[in-house]
């Protein structure tokens, strides 16, 4: 066997003076870091991914985990990652897998954008006193409203009454512009999904199934679930399409634009196989393109076939990764009968992606939202289709900025997982998540109580919703509608002219 | 009412499909709907759920015929466009002519019989689960990438012309690229270099013959083929193409932790 050459990334130490040998860490660590030997706990640091489960669970606070950086000779170009990746590939000859979001030190544009606030002349609004309208409708809006006048007799008098002639397409009604992103059952555990489902129901919003089908246990929450149709068509049948509140076609994903999904056979357990409708233990491959989509017309065909199969009762979204020609694609999507375009930025998380894709492919979501919104306006299509943004949204301010840049609503993925306890350790693809989130192992899944999980996720959404109301008030606005695409409320700090131009915002001081 | 005829001349697909739904709503006992003068209307039978219903189509239906369909039988007296049987759940589609690309795309159950040829990437990503085993029987030939990413089900290529004569050696390339479930049966010989990555030629056994026989018989019945043609088909030399493994890309990714 070729040896690894890669030293441990973290150093795990158990303080024998504090440790009471309860052996809890030996059970908690799904990676097998800790073992009892005689009257002490021995830790194999090389297996540690800093998921912190043991630290959080140790009753004596006896465990310390540190980055093991000292063992590498420092070099500005050949950083630790670059070298470790080469050792791994020289050993295996394989594509490197990774989890979670882009780990490169690229600029986070959200952090270079600041929000404006009102002062004396246009006073701010107190959200505790004044109603703040966060309700958002996702879906097609008519270009104009047409009315017809019908004569009716009321109390013997003939009265002309106006009646709406325009047919309004079905829309999703969101009480808050925050939804939970598509993460598949398979990548995530059933308890993680149940936590999300209960939370979105409570908060009057929606979650996505991802491409793994809809487990029966989620049926009671189906009115708050957006079902996904990916190239693998896993779990897709008439019942699935009819169950959810809307359908999303996944073309691309922020963490891995241009490639498909792949759930390895060993993770296709009995339950996963039943939901995806494939045999146990066989690979679940979603190839990069949809086999029936080779042009924007083909995409329109799929949108329409889904609408036809659901009798035009469900909004259909199309999700693409943020790439440089996203605006042109969005125009195509807008003319295809789709109801919303979902743009997923390159900081979006994933359960598993080739590392080279996660870290190098795609463009920042901030730029993509602004460019798509701008282009759709120029084409006169913006009011006909909704924009949902996702990929690296970390706080209420990010949501607010995304909307001011032009989104109608956002999807959060990683943030919702962090609410469940996720440590962003990036090892989801191993299926051993010690927090019971990205795993199918019953003993690990059990660690996540869906009631507690739902409480935490609902709390997060509610907290952000409060914050958004406060931010709206400070901006002197009382509805989210007035914030959408309102880039005048944003200012750039430390951005160059071109960046400001793409974002469509002014520099602070202007 | 047992049977209804719709003249689809100059009808938009939405109108036509809505009409079908309306007829089904108003006549719960209906057995047959006949569509005359169909010319490119798409999505016929999409998501239809009714067992025991037959839709007969005269003309050429447009793409995604019977997509997500669950139960009915569709008979096409003519050619069909691309993707008939797309993600179909159950039911039967019988096409007297030829059909376009991605015929039987991601089909999950039911049967598609095409008397003539099929286009590129037919049977792509067909999948099976428990008793749901989709079947695609092609009378003539298939273009390249037959059964690409196939994850389950059965594809049978009979390789005969309208009269039942042999068409000669199959020329399709990249057969079964990425296949990881199910099997492709081709009448005649196939060279290894016609296969795509992950596909393999496996021994054609008596068990395989028993498996495909009923579908060949059903094909002959639908298209009225004489006994001798049927016997010839059954007693021919068959090539079975199946996956090298259930996990074709298992070794592509590093097992090492990062
Ligand atoms: S539980 Fe997590 S943090 Fe603790 S030793 Fe194991 S891998 Fe490291
Ligand atoms: S879901 Fe689990 S494995 Fe994935 S990053 Fe979070 S803690 Fe780590």
């Amino acid at each position: 066997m070729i040896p690894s050459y890669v030293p441990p990334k973290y150093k795990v130490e158990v303080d024998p003076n504090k440790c009471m040998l309860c052996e809890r860490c030996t059970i908690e660590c799904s990676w097998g870091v800790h073992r009892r030997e005689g009257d002490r706990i021995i830790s194999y640091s090389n297996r540690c991914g800093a998921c912190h489960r043991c630290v959080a669970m140790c009753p004596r606070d006896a465990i310390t985990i540190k980055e093991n950086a000292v063992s590498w000779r420092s070099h500005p170009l050949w950083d630790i990652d670059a070298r470790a990746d080469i050792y791994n590939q020289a050993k295996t000859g394989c594509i490197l897998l990774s989890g979670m979001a882009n780990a490169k030190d690229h600029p986070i544009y959200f952090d270079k954008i600041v929000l404006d606030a009102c002062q004396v002349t246009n006073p701010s609004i107190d959200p505790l006193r004044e109603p703040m309208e966060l309700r958002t409708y996702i879906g097609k809006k008519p270009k104009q409203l047409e009315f017809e006048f019908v004569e009716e007799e009321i109390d013997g008098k003939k009265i002309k009454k106006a009646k709406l002639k325009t047919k309004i397409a079905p829309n999703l009604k969101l009480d808050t512009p925050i939804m939970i992103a598509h993460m598949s059952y398979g990548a995530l555990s059933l308890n993680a999904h149940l936590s999300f489902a209960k939370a979105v129901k409570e908060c009057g919003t929606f979650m996505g199934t991802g491409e793994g089908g809809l487990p029966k246990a989620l049926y009671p929450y189906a009115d708050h679930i957006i079902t996904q149709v990916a190239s693998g068509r896993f779990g897709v049948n008439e019942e699935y399409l009819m169950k959810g509140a809307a359908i999303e076609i996944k073309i691309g994903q922020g963490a891995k634009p241009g490639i498909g999904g792949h759930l390895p056979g060993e993770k296709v357990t009995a339950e996963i196989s039943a939901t995806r409708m494939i045999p146990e233990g066989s690979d679940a491959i979603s190839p990069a393109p949809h086999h029936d989509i080779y042009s924007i017309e083909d995409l329109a065909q799929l949108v329409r076939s889904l609408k036809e199969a659901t009798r035009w009762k469900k909004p259909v979204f199309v999700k693409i990764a943020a790439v440089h020609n996203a605006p042109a694609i969005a125009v195509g999507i807008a003319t295809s009968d789709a109801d919303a375009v979902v743009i997923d930025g390159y900081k979006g998380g994933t359960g598993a992606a080739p590392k080279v894709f996660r870290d190098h492919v795609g463009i920042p979501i901030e730029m993509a939202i602004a460019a798509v919104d701008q282009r759709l306006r120029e084409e006169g299509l913006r009011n006909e289709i909704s924009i949902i943004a996702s990929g690296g949204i970390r706080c209420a301010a990010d949501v607010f900025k995304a909307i001011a840049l032009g989104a109608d609503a956002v999807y959060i993925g990683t943030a919702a997982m962090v609410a469940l306890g996720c440590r962003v350790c990036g090892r989801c693809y191993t299926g051993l998540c010690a927090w019971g989130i990205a795993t199918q192992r019953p003993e690990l899944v059990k660690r996540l109580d869906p009631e507690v999980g739902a409480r935490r996720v609902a709390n997060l959404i509610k907290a952000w919703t409060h914050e958004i109301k406060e931010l709206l008030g400070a901006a002197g606005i009382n509805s989210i509608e007035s914030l959408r695409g309102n880039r005048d409320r944003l200012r750039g700090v430390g951005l160059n002219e071109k960046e400001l131009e793409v974002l469509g915002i002014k520099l602070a001081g202007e | 009412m047992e049977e209804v005829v719709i003249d689809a001349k100059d009808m938009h697909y939405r109108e036509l499909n809505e009409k079908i739904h309306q007829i089904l709503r108003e006549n719960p006992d209906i057995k047959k709907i006949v569509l005359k003068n169909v010319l490119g209307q798409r999505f016929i039978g999409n998501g239809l759920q009714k067992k025991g219903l037959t839709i007969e189509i005269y003309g050429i239906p447009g793409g995604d015929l019977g997509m997500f369909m669950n139960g009915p039988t569709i008979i096409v007296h003519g050619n069909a466009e691309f993707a008939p049987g797309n993600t179909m759940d159950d039911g039967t589609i019988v096409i007297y002519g030829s059909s376009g690309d991605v015929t039987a795309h991601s089909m999950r159950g039911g049967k598609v019989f095409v008397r003539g040829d099929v286009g590129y990437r037919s049977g792509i990503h067909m999948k099976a689960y428990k008793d749901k085993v989709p079947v695609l029987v092609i009378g003539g030939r298939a273009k390249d990438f037959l059964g690409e990413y196939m994850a389950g089900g059965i594809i049978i290529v009979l390789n005969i012309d309208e009269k039942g004569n042999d068409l000669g050696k199959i020329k399709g390339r990249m057969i079964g690229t990425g296949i990881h479930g199910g099997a492709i049966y081709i009448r005649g010989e196939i060279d290894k270099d016609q296969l795509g990555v992950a596909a393999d030629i496996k021994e054609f056994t008596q068990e395989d013959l028993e498996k495909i026989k009923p579908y060949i018989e059903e094909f002959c019945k639908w298209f009225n083929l004489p006994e001798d043609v049927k016997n010839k088909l059954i007693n021919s030399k068959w090539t079975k193409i199946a996956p090298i493994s259930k996990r074709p890309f298992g070794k592509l990714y590093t097992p090492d932790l990062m």
Side-chain angles (χ1 to χ4, degrees):
Chain A
M1 202 179 102
I2 304 182
S4 162
Y5 289 178
V6 186
K9 200 165 178 186
Y10 302 97
K11 204 170 165 75
V12 185
E13 275 164 356
V14 179
D15 183 347
N17 294 326
K18 286 185 176 173
C19 176
M20 62 171 180
L21 291 173
C22 70
E23 293 184 31
R24 180 111 192 221
C25 60
T26 65
I27 301 160
E28 291 293 338
C29 183
S30 44
W31 322 96
V33 169
H34 306 282
R35 198 173 78 192
R36 179 173 179 161
E37 258 178 38
D39 57 357
R40 33 193 311 212
I41 297 289
I42 302 292
S43 307
Y44 301 93
S45 291
N46 55 350
R47 291 185 189 161
C48 179
C51 79
H52 274 176
R53 180 77 192 183
C54 61
V55 179
M57 294 298 151
C58 173
R60 285 289 177 91
D61 186 21
I63 306 172
T64 337
I65 301 175
K66 286 191 220 140
E67 274 201 38
N68 197 19
V70 284
S71 61
W72 295 77
R73 183 193 183 279
S74 64
H75 192 284
L77 178 63
W78 291 96
D79 62 9
I80 302 171
D81 248 21
R83 278 174 279 176
D85 286 355
I86 290 178
Y87 294 137
N88 271 327
Q89 294 196 296
K91 181 186 161 201
T92 60
C94 292
I95 294 175
L96 297 173
L97 266 188
S98 64
M100 303 315 279
N102 190 316
K104 290 281 176 206
D105 188 18
H106 295 173
I108 301 164
Y109 286 99
F110 279 132
D111 290 346
K112 295 181 181 238
I113 298 173
V114 287
L115 301 169
D116 197 19
C118 290
Q119 297 298 291
V120 182
T121 48
N122 173 22
S124 46
I125 304 170
D126 179 1
L128 298 178
R129 201 152 41 84
E130 311 275 349
M132 285 289 166
E133 190 58 68
L134 289 202
R135 176 151 299 159
T136 304
Y137 288 92
I138 302 289
K140 272 235 177 319
K141 315 285 185 295
K143 260 196 172 27
Q144 65 196 57
L145 293 180
E146 279 185 69
F147 297 89
E148 57 189 353
F149 294 92
V150 260
E151 221 162 71
E152 259 182 49
E153 244 195 53
I154 298 174
D155 297 337
K157 269 192 242 158
K158 285 205 168 146
I159 293 175
K160 266 198 175 176
K161 271 193 141 185
K163 263 195 166 169
L164 188 63
K165 229 173 103 186
T166 315
K167 265 203 172 164
I168 309 277
N171 272 237
L172 288 191
K173 184 175 125 198
L174 275 59
D175 290 339
T176 173
I178 306 162
M179 298 189 279
I180 296 183
H182 288 261
M183 296 175 272
S184 75
Y185 174 49
L188 295 199
S189 66
L190 186 62
N191 282 0
H193 265 200
L194 275 172
S195 304
F196 293 156
K198 287 173 199 278
V200 291
K201 189 167 179 178
E202 185 184 326
C203 298
T205 182
F206 295 82
M207 71 173 277
T209 54
E211 63 162 324
L214 183 68
K216 289 249 156 38
L218 292 191
Y219 276 21
Y221 308 93
D223 306 354
H224 291 272
I225 291 178
I226 302 161
T227 54
Q228 195 177 61
V229 173
S231 68
R233 307 280 155 91
F234 296 115
V236 178
N237 60 9
E238 205 263 352
E239 188 189 6
Y240 170 77
L241 297 174
M242 279 306 207
K243 269 265 174 273
I247 302 167
E248 181 168 311
I249 299 170
K250 177 189 140 179
I251 301 291
Q253 182 181 345
K256 37 183 171 175
I259 63 169
H262 178 189
L263 190 71
E266 69 250 23
K267 287 194 196 158
V268 182
T269 61
E271 296 79 32
I272 301 286
S273 96
T275 332
R276 294 206 178 206
M277 304 173 190
I278 49 167
E280 248 178 89
S282 92
D283 274 4
I285 302 171
S286 280
H290 284 250
H291 319 298
D292 45 2
I293 302 179
Y294 281 77
S295 66
I296 207 82
E297 291 77 24
D298 287 352
L299 173 63
Q301 169 90 4
L302 182 59
V303 170
R304 292 187 186 120
S305 64
L306 287 166
K307 293 223 163 187
E308 198 62 42
T310 52
R311 314 285 309 279
W312 297 75
K313 286 195 184 111
K314 313 265 174 193
V316 173
F317 307 166
V318 179
K319 169 168 152 176
I320 55 166
V323 288
H324 88 275
N325 68 343
I329 301 167
V331 170
I333 293 170
T335 52
S336 76
D337 276 325
D339 299 82
V341 51
V342 184
I343 329 163
D344 196 16
Y346 80 150
K347 296 237 154 119
T350 178
K355 194 176 179 201
V356 68
F357 273 82
R358 186 196 69 177
D359 290 352
H360 300 278
V361 187
I363 67 165
I365 187 64
E366 302 89 327
M367 306 294 197
I369 303 170
V372 167
D373 176 63
Q374 187 60 35
R375 180 71 187 275
L376 287 173
R377 281 167 191 244
E378 284 162 13
E379 303 280 346
L381 292 164
R382 178 63 185 92
N383 53 344
E384 283 184 42
I385 191 164
S386 304
I387 298 175
I388 302 165
S390 65
I393 293 191
R394 304 151 301 166
C395 58
D398 287 356
V399 179
F400 198 85
K401 291 170 191 175
I403 294 173
L405 284 170
D408 290 79
V410 301
Y411 271 137
I412 57 166
T414 308
M417 282 164 66
V418 171
L420 292 179
C422 163
R423 298 312 217 242
V424 198
C425 75
R427 282 181 165 189
C428 329
Y429 62 94
T430 62
L432 288 173
C433 175
W435 293 87
I437 304 167
T439 179
Q440 301 305 327
R441 299 205 171 195
E443 72 279 13
L444 299 177
V445 175
K446 228 169 46 196
R447 293 179 179 181
L448 180 64
D449 178 338
E451 294 302 327
V452 178
R455 191 66 267 127
R456 299 179 69 99
V457 176
N459 280 348
L460 178 79
I461 297 175
K462 286 184 177 170
W464 286 14
T465 305
H466 282 307
E467 288 179 339
I468 292 170
K469 286 185 182 171
E470 293 284 346
L471 290 169
L472 275 176
I477 299 173
N478 61 6
S479 92
I480 203 95
E481 293 266 333
S482 321
L483 177 70
R484 190 175 311 133
N486 190 346
R487 295 184 215 172
D488 209 31
R489 290 287 159 202
L490 306 173
R491 286 294 181 275
V493 179
L495 295 173
N496 66 37
E497 232 171 275
K498 193 72 203 174
E499 288 169 317
L500 292 167
E501 186 192 317
V502 176
L503 290 165
I505 61 174
K506 290 186 180 131
L507 191 66
E510 274 189 273
Chain B
M1 227 189 305
E2 290 247 311
E3 185 177 323
V4 175
V5 180
I6 305 175
D7 185 354
K9 192 165 169 31
D10 295 334
M11 239 188 228
H12 187 266
Y13 74 83
R14 281 188 71 179
E15 194 189 339
L16 175 59
N17 292 329
E18 211 30 68
K19 205 153 214 155
I20 295 172
H21 283 294
Q22 189 196 337
I23 288 168
L24 292 177
R25 221 174 22 241
E26 288 167 3
N27 311 281
D29 303 324
I30 191 147
K31 292 271 174 333
K32 194 169 185 181
I33 300 177
V34 180
L35 309 179
K36 291 261 168 75
N37 297 318
V38 171
L39 190 62
Q41 283 93 344
R42 307 162 187 204
F43 315 126
I44 296 173
N46 259 25
L48 279 195
Q49 289 268 40
K50 207 173 156 71
K51 278 219 162 62
L53 170 75
T54 301
I55 300 179
E56 259 192 80
I57 299 176
Y58 291 88
I60 300 171
D64 289 332
L65 173 75
M67 191 172 186
F68 308 116
M69 187 172 83
N70 186 355
T73 298
I74 297 183
I75 301 168
V76 183
H77 299 279
N79 296 325
E81 255 282 8
F82 57 91
N86 193 347
T87 324
M88 181 169 128
D89 212 51
D90 200 3
T92 307
I93 298 182
V94 180
I95 298 165
Y96 275 78
S98 291
S99 63
D101 294 347
V102 283
T103 293
H105 171 349
S106 285
M107 199 170 138
R108 307 188 35 242
K111 293 173 271 190
V112 174
F113 297 96
V114 184
R115 180 65 187 86
D117 301 333
V118 296
Y120 291 95
R121 309 190 306 281
S122 289
I124 192 167
H125 222 309
M126 266 171 57
K127 45 176 73 68
Y129 179 62
K130 294 201 167 151
D131 55 340
K132 283 221 142 106
V133 180
V135 180
L136 167 64
V137 188
I138 302 155
R141 296 199 256 201
K143 290 250 167 65
D144 299 350
F145 300 102
L146 177 69
E148 192 181 9
Y149 282 116
M150 194 171 166
I154 300 169
I155 298 178
I156 302 168
V157 184
L158 299 176
N159 199 12
I160 49 170
D161 68 9
E162 317 83 78
K163 298 206 179 74
N165 298 323
D166 293 352
L167 279 168
K169 192 168 181 310
I170 289 265
K171 291 203 185 70
R173 292 178 313 131
M174 311 298 278
I175 302 167
T177 300
I179 184 172
H180 51 291
I184 304 170
Y185 297 95
I186 295 180
R187 202 172 68 89
E189 298 232 29
I190 290 291
D191 296 334
K192 262 214 142 134
D193 62 11
Q194 286 175 273
L195 301 185
V197 50
D200 200 6
I201 294 180
K202 297 267 160 90
E203 193 197 342
F204 182 82
T205 61
Q206 189 60 34
E207 209 180 301
D208 288 311
L209 184 63
E210 294 306 322
K211 201 153 132 194
I212 64 171
K213 214 158 114 189
Y215 303 119
I216 298 175
E217 285 166 352
E218 194 176 341
F219 182 93
C220 294
K221 219 160 124 201
W222 277 115
F223 301 113
N224 251 327
L225 292 180
E227 227 21 50
D228 57 318
V229 174
K230 184 173 88 186
N231 291 336
K232 174 180 82 174
L233 294 176
I234 293 172
N235 297 318
S236 291
K237 167 151 182 41
W238 285 89
T239 307
K240 177 184 181 182
I241 298 161
I244 289 174
S245 107
K246 257 164 93 175
R247 312 245 2 242
F249 306 115
K251 293 215 167 66
L252 196 59
Y253 302 106
T254 162
D256 279 9
L257 289 174
M258 311 263 299

